[in-house]
Amino acid sequence: MRTHGEIDARSLALHRLVAEKVRHEPALFAKAQATLARWLGECTPRERRYLEEWQRAFQQGMQTALALAEEDSERGRTLRQSSPFAGVIAPRERFAFLRAWRDAHEAPGA
């Protein structure tokens, strides 16, 4: 079983990959904005505060939102749990990342 620290590290690495892709394909930022708007329309009051923080970052522009996605802090870890960048990378890219992460971080003999 993975620790919270391992899960957080994997999420940060995945978001760094996502941020790199969005920087190369800025149209993907609009996809994340649409996801955020949809989620804000469907969320619970508890989720809303996190999504509204994302919304403020998105309103400041792509670089601010990507910096938040890549922020290595408690705030960044918390917000990545409700990241509107979900869906920016294709499932096959995500699975390839997860497989590579597992292979690189699995303890020998595990």
Side-chain angles (χ1 to χ4, degrees):
M1 177 172 275
R2 300 277 179 229
T3 67
H4 287 290
E6 291 168 329
I7 292 167
D8 291 339
R10 184 182 66 191
S11 178
L12 176 58
L14 180 60
H15 276 79
R16 287 179 173 156
L17 175 68
V18 166
E20 179 181 328
K21 184 166 183 171
V22 171
R23 287 185 183 103
H24 288 358
E25 296 178 53
L28 292 172
F29 187 65
K31 182 175 184 172
Q33 286 177 305
T35 298
L36 178 58
R38 187 177 72 251
W39 287 359
L40 278 165
E42 307 170 341
C43 68
T44 66
R46 181 177 178 183
E47 297 165 325
R48 179 163 294 281
R49 70 180 189 175
Y50 301 114
L51 295 176
E52 286 175 345
E53 190 162 351
W54 277 113
Q55 185 178 42
R56 286 188 293 277
F58 272 65
Q59 288 169 343
Q60 293 177 34
M62 183 176 82
Q63 294 308 322
T64 300
L66 293 177
L68 180 56
E70 296 180 292
E71 188 175 297
D72 190 8
S73 67
E74 185 64 34
R75 174 182 176 228
R77 285 185 287 281
T78 298
L79 290 175
R80 278 190 293 278
Q81 293 179 36
S82 58
S83 172
F85 290 101
V88 165
I89 60 172
R92 64 179 156 57
E93 292 173 290
R94 184 174 181 276
F95 292 135
F97 167 84
L98 293 172
R99 189 172 25 260
W101 178 269
R102 183 196 63 221
D103 292 348
H105 294 89
E106 192 170 86

